[in-house]
Amino acid sequence: MPNMKKDYLSLSTRLDEILAALQRPDIHVDEAVTLYEQGLLVVDQLEETLNQAENRISQLKLKTSGKE
Amino acid sequence: MSSDLAFGVSEFVAYVNQTLEYAYSNVTVTGELVNFKVSKNRWVYFDVKDDEAVVRCFGTVYQLPGPLQDGMLLAVRATPRLHNQYGFSLNILSIQPVGEGSIKKAAALLETKLAAEGLFDSDRKRALPYPPASIGLIASAESAAYHDFCKVINARWGGLEIIHIDVQVQGDSAPAQIVTAIEQCNQLPLPPEVLVITRGGGSPEDLQTFSTEQVTRAVAASRIPTLVAIGHEIDISLSELAADVRASTPSNAAELLVPDRKALVAGLSTYRTQLARRTFQILENAKQGLVGARSVLFDMAERAAVHTRHQLTVKRQLLRAFDPESVLQRGYALIHKEGVIMQSRDLIVGDVITVDFVDGAVDARVTDVRIK
């Protein structure tokens, strides 16, 4: 089962890095376009991660004699 | 069986206890608490009474839901016993304050006691991981609280491991079950990152499990950060005060634990806009740069052209200056004899020369040569 937290946090971090890189005053046009395309890809992945992931509920039996 | 039985004293005590055990193994007696005493920090003695009768109770401090005080109304679940020396008493199994007044009184006494121990101190509170990857959920599987919590958390977030322990959340066995469930989660090889303990609304009696000393201490002692949501907003139990985070309702617990993915997905469009705007700005700057460069080049070309034109003009002027025609126009004449003669020494007397004027030419013979 995908670990949404890890995926979500790593994708978010990557997006922040891209946005930060785009803020560099000396950024070259080619690099900017590449980063832009990568950024869009990351946003799509974030969207998919957020929409797709489901929770898994498992039952743990109470140690004592259980419910009366 | 004949009604006239004869016993020795201890035989009689044994017979009565056997009858009691058979007929009334467990009873719950509700009455007002009087003469409450604790001996050697271990043994508990008190009486419960009503307007017409009083019954003695005996137990240990471990069966107390918390500090008690004379005048409280209690429901004592006990085993009736006839003791060889001390006569009849109810041997306590569990005690529950009854009625809002006693419940509040008991909670207030316990709160004071536990507060003095620092159980509710704010500097003990730990932040919950946000979002967590795994949750331990202690709730009754049949409760609305469980379903509300699961419904909201599933809507808001995904990819969670939720380990649910089904417990009773009210009644005599509830406290022990909840304490066991908390310990069980803490002892898992891979404990969940957060422990959620929740139940829905109910009467003060229904909710008092979460204000018992054993449950409140178990919450405070959990190594896993705890989030407790008991009843409605207005109901505050001691377990909630001891928890790292309190939520007002089971749904609110889910809201505090995880982000809302719908809001995040909606927010993604601003990222797309941000990416596009910044990239467009960079392209625009680059374009401006090109425009700038073009105008610089244009200027340079312009200047070069001007310079070239200027040079051409100068050269033209020079050419014109050196143009024999213009020299003749200024009154000079051009002498040549098989090519242009530049110096008098190039001639000798008798040479025939041609002299060009602006308006024509003449032939002449050299009669004398003078060298400067």
Side-chain angles (χ1 to χ4, degrees), chain B residues 140-154:
Chain B
S140 166
E142 289 121 33
S143 67
Y146 172 77
H147 294 288
D148 289 350
F149 177 82
C150 291
K151 191 179 86 187
V152 174
I153 206 138
N154 287 335

Side-chain angles (χ1 to χ4, degrees), chain B residues 3-154:
Chain B
S3 61
D4 190 357
L5 302 173
F7 302 96
V9 174
S10 49
E11 211 184 355
F12 170 70
V13 168
Y15 179 79
V16 166
N17 280 327
Q18 206 175 39
T19 310
L20 285 173
E21 191 165 345
Y22 177 74
Y24 308 105
S25 58
N26 289 347
V27 294
T28 298
V29 176
T30 300
E32 179 188 342
L33 168 65
V34 289
N35 306 326
F36 177 78
K37 285 189 293 294
V38 177
S39 154
K40 301 187 180 104
N41 267 328
R42 179 178 173 79
W43 308 115
V44 170
Y45 304 90
F46 59 81
D47 299 335
V48 281
K49 74 173 186 75
D50 58 19
D51 297 341
E52 288 142 33
V54 59
V55 169
R56 195 179 311 137
C57 302
F58 166 70
T60 73
V61 290
Y62 308 114
Q63 286 136 351
L64 297 180
L68 297 178
Q69 198 174 67
D70 283 3
M72 282 184 178
L73 197 60
L74 301 183
V76 180
R77 188 160 163 267
T79 307
R81 268 293 170 278
L82 184 59
H83 193 276
N84 289 343
Q85 272 94 39
Y86 305 120
F88 181 80
S89 68
L90 294 174
N91 286 5
I92 302 165
L93 294 171
S94 66
I95 300 169
Q96 279 198 335
V98 172
E100 194 154 353
S102 297
I103 291 171
K104 280 196 170 140
K105 183 67 181 169
L109 288 171
L110 182 57
E111 181 174 354
T112 307
K113 174 184 177 185
L114 299 182
E117 294 177 29
L119 244 66
F120 308 132
D121 289 356
S122 52
D123 52 21
R124 291 183 78 253
K125 309 290 185 197
R126 294 162 291 186
L128 304 184
Y130 186 82
S134 58
I135 293 173
L137 175 60
I138 297 174
S140 166
E142 289 121 33
S143 67
Y146 172 77
H147 294 288
D148 289 350
F149 177 82
C150 291
K151 191 179 86 187
V152 174
I153 206 138
N154 287 335

Side-chain angles (χ1 to χ4, degrees), chain A residues 22 50 55-56 59 61, chain B residues 154 161 164 184 261 278:
Chain A
L22 283 171
L50 285 169
N55 297 320
R56 180 165 65 183
Q59 299 299 327
K61 187 110 181 69
Chain B
N154 287 335
E161 284 282 349
H164 171 234
Q184 218 171 316
R261 55 173 141 190
R278 181 55 192 150

Side-chain angles (χ1 to χ4, degrees), chain B residues 264-282:
Chain B
L264 289 177
V265 169
L268 290 179
S269 57
T270 50
Y271 277 121
R272 291 192 174 98
T273 313
Q274 220 177 320
L275 284 166
R277 181 177 296 138
R278 181 55 192 150
T279 309
F280 177 76
Q281 199 178 24
I282 293 167

